[in-house]
Amino acid sequence: MLDAILSQCLFHIFGTPKFILFFFISSFSYCQSLPPSQTIQHHYLYHNQNYTQLLTKNYNIIIVPFSFFPLHYSNQRMSQQWMKFLILMGVLMKTEGLYVGITKLRSAVARGAVCLDGSPPAYHLHRGHGTGINNWLVHIEGGGWCNNVTTCLERKYTHLGSSWKMDKQLAFSGILGNNPMFNPDFYNWNRVKIRYCDGASFTGNMEAVDTITKLHFRGARIWHAVIEDLLLKGMRKAKNVCMVKHFRALLPIGTKVKCLSDAGYFINVKDVSGASHVASYFNQIVKLHGSARSLPASCTRNLRPDLCFFPQYMAKKIRTPLFILNAAYDSWQMKNILAPAAADPRGVWSDCKIDIKNCSTNQLTVMQDFRSEFLTALSKLGKSPSRGLFINSCYAHCQTETQETWFSHDSPSLHKTRIAKAVGDWFYDRRRLQMIDCAYPCDTSCHNRIFEPQEPHHHHHHHKGGGGRRWGNMLLQKLLIVLCLFGYVTTCY
């Protein structure tokens, strides 16, 4: 009974087992009926059979011999206290993966390269080594957009608008991880995460600053300032570069440059009310931030600047080899493009957007139509031997940043190929990969998102379990476990 209660407490606070410290605990009667070694082995294999190889190699695990437990005591309460104490020590000693410190470019402020609130741009860099010392993977953080003064002011006081609000340490996992077993092709590269704080995908370039709001729209300057700094820190000598924004001209001839788009292929469709919500939204962004000058001229010469925010109109002009990784039922697009709150005032789509399993037959039909439009827009890019495709039929968004979806024993896969393998094969030209999944719900490998009812709608926000928790939250979680284990919290679920 005790181990069941403790498990509920631990899993409620930490979610699925990623970095939790495992103790192999069984009930008192069961423990007393077997020798310690058999108890540990049996309990471990029985409860963790599918995770045995993954967990023992991916995370630091401390096994406490059962001989440490005073199970021979007649006082059961004393035994319970011992178990609680050891688990508490394990929680406090647990490792939480690779955390990388923040670099703030204070020198960029003088050039006007600043976040919405005027704070300096920032990035996190983990240096490469060995064969990857001259290879660079540059990850551009996402986080949606702000389309008017009100929404930009809301961001101004968060990590999406101010580097002063950003975590000093950020967890690197998935494609940014440093474990060769779980990121085989990029683990020893120089890996960078450029923080996003301008609200317009690094395109804004307005000189004027409103004297009342003090909002700065300088995303394009942020981009150039950060890239210039990375070039000085060794990227100028790069042999291989993988990133999601074009900057080929800044690198020497002979450098192999490829781009990966993770959950970035937004399409121009009407919402469930019949309105062109997303097109109007992008138009407001372009006008507010002065983005037209930063968008590709090859696109803006022929189309309105706001349409050049859509990959379906401008990606065909990209010469750099491109890999498009996207869920056909992208959860962000479903929540904010297909069925935004403005198009659903009665909340008919609320439950469906939280969990795809809640969707009605009619709603699933609408979502299947969205998938068809998505695939049509994708096909209009034309065929290119250098382009990679991994389009699965999951209700998901961003699949490279967490270990579960990037490369683990049950990661999403197409034709028995997981995402990490597909991206690596494409980058190193090991094989051509252009894979499109069958329609929902055929794919049993999906990690479909389930949202909290009031979860923010930011694009590319940190995922639970993906390493984006704030340090304050982690301390709170530890405190909750302490309270839970020692009886101060009576209900943990």
Side-chain angles (χ1 to χ4, degrees):
M1 180 63 179
L2 177 63
D3 58 326
I5 295 174
L6 292 176
S7 295
Q8 289 179 350
C9 292
L10 294 171
F11 282 90
H12 174 72
I13 295 171
F14 284 99
T16 54
K18 299 173 178 46
F19 49 74
I20 208 166
L21 184 63
F22 278 80
F23 285 85
F24 306 109
I25 303 166
S26 189
S27 64
F28 287 103
S29 59
Y30 183 64
C31 288
Q32 291 173 347
S33 66
L34 291 173
S37 60
Q38 293 182 26
T39 303
I40 293 172
Q41 183 180 16
H42 180 87
H43 187 81
Y44 178 53
L45 294 178
Y46 181 78
H47 289 287
N48 300 281
Q49 186 173 5
N50 294 329
Y51 298 94
T52 302
Q53 183 177 6
L54 173 68
L55 290 174
T56 53
K57 293 181 180 179
N58 194 20
Y59 305 104
N60 293 331
I61 299 175
I62 299 175
I63 300 177
V64 177
F66 264 74
S67 57
F68 285 4
F69 290 94
L71 299 179
H72 57 280
Y73 285 5
S74 59
N75 187 336
Q76 183 171 342
R77 181 172 178 78
M78 178 67 74
S79 297
Q80 292 175 347
Q81 293 301 321
W82 264 96
M83 293 178 71
K84 291 177 181 179
F85 173 74
L86 289 174
I87 294 176
L88 169 63
M89 293 303 295
V91 169
L92 296 178
M93 292 169 62
K94 76 179 189 298
T95 59
E96 292 169 340
L98 174 65
Y99 275 80
V100 180
I102 195 169
T103 298
K104 295 182 182 180
L105 288 181
R106 291 176 172 82
S107 60
V109 175
R111 291 184 286 165
V114 294
C115 300
L116 285 172
D117 70 335
S119 57
Y123 63 84
H124 300 256
L125 165 63
H126 192 258
R127 289 288 189 174
H129 60 88
T131 57
I133 198 164
N134 288 320
N135 297 338
W136 288 75
L137 191 151
V138 183
H139 182 276
I140 316 300
E141 184 179 36
W145 307 273
C146 58
N147 62 323
N148 54 47
V149 170
T150 300
T151 55
C152 287
L153 282 175
E154 290 174 356
R155 284 171 170 256
K156 181 180 175 181
Y157 303 103
T158 72
H159 70 279
L160 289 172
S162 173
S163 61
W164 305 124
K165 301 294 182 180
M166 295 175 183
D167 295 331
K168 294 181 180 179
Q169 300 280 329
L170 197 65
F172 274 20
S173 61
I175 195 172
L176 295 174
N178 67 336
N179 189 326
M181 289 194 63
F182 302 100
N183 189 22
D185 287 308
F186 307 107
Y187 75 96
N188 65 347
W189 285 32
N190 296 282
R191 299 171 321 285
V192 186
K193 189 181 187 80
I194 300 179
R195 302 304 299 270
Y196 177 44
C197 64
D198 71 284
S201 296
F202 300 95
T203 63
N205 195 9
M206 295 288 283
E207 184 67 36
V209 178
D210 190 285
T211 56
I212 299 175
T213 64
K214 298 293 194 299
L215 285 170
H216 299 71
F217 302 121
R218 305 281 181 75
R221 300 188 194 189
I222 289 176
W223 170 254
H224 288 290
V226 171
I227 293 301
E228 286 176 11
D229 195 63
L230 293 175
L231 289 170
L232 292 174
K233 289 185 175 178
M235 196 164 65
R236 197 179 302 277
K237 300 177 182 178
K239 294 181 179 179
N240 294 290
V241 176
C242 182
M243 65 183 315
V244 294
K245 193 174 177 76
H246 183 66
F247 75 132
R248 180 68 186 81
L250 300 174
L251 294 168
I253 296 174
T255 302
K256 182 178 182 179
V257 181
K258 291 191 175 186
C259 295
L260 164 65
S261 170
D262 178 11
Y265 201 85
F266 295 90
I267 62 172
N268 185 12
V269 296
K270 292 183 178 180
D271 61 36
V272 293
S273 72
S276 299
H277 171 77
V278 66
S280 174
Y281 184 71
F282 281 174
N283 185 47
Q284 293 167 6
I285 294 168
V286 170
K287 289 182 177 179
L288 178 68
H289 293 263
S291 301
R293 289 171 292 177
S294 302
L295 294 169
S298 58
C299 181
T300 56
R301 277 196 298 263
N302 303 310
L303 294 173
R304 297 197 321 263
D306 57 287
L307 292 179
C308 295
F309 245 67
F310 291 101
Q312 69 188 92
Y313 301 126
M314 55 82 63
K316 64 178 67 176
K317 303 291 185 180
I318 296 177
R319 299 176 184 175
T320 306
L322 175 66
F323 190 101
I324 299 175
L325 165 63
N326 228 100
Y329 308 88
D330 183 275
S331 58
W332 195 93
Q333 294 191 63
M334 294 295 171
K335 293 179 70 178
N336 299 280
I337 293 180
L338 181 65
D344 182 32
R346 296 183 179 180
V348 175
W349 280 78
S350 296
D351 290 342
C352 176
K353 291 189 293 183
I354 288 173
D355 185 346
I356 194 171
K357 292 181 180 179
N358 297 333
C359 298
S360 68
T361 301
N362 290 338
Q363 288 171 331
L364 284 175
T365 299
V366 174
M367 293 171 74
Q368 299 294 12
D369 290 341
F370 177 92
R371 173 181 178 270
S372 296
E373 291 194 65
F374 178 87
L375 295 180
T376 298
L378 198 63
S379 67
K380 290 182 178 179
L381 292 180
K383 294 185 178 180
S384 171
S386 67
R387 185 178 301 127
L389 292 178
F390 192 104
I391 310 299
N392 54 14
S393 290
C394 306
Y395 186 65
H397 184 69
C398 296
Q399 300 179 84
T400 63
E401 297 177 66
T402 60
Q403 198 60 60
E404 297 88 343
T405 50
W406 173 246
F407 193 66
S408 68
H409 73 291
D410 65 342
S411 293
S413 61
L414 289 180
H415 307 305
K416 298 182 179 180
T417 302
R418 288 174 284 185
I419 294 171
K421 184 68 166 60
V423 173
D425 285 352
W426 163 78
F427 187 88
Y428 286 107
D429 301 312
R430 293 192 285 252
R431 58 175 173 151
R432 291 180 59 183
L433 287 163
Q434 297 186 346
M435 300 182 290
I436 298 177
D437 208 353
C438 50
Y440 176 87
C442 71
D443 192 339
T444 58
S445 72
C446 285
H447 286 221
N448 292 324
R449 282 294 306 271
I450 298 177
F451 293 89
E452 296 295 332
Q454 302 300 323
E455 189 165 339
H457 292 187
H458 294 312
H459 170 47
H460 290 254
H461 64 276
H462 295 306
H463 296 292
K464 182 178 181 181
R469 293 186 180 91
R470 295 180 180 275
W471 287 102
N473 287 341
M474 292 191 293
L475 292 173
L476 176 59
Q477 290 163 351
K478 292 179 180 180
L479 177 59
L480 286 173
I481 286 184
V482 173
L483 296 175
C484 178
L485 294 178
F486 284 92
Y488 295 107
V489 176
T490 58
T491 303
C492 301
Y493 50 89

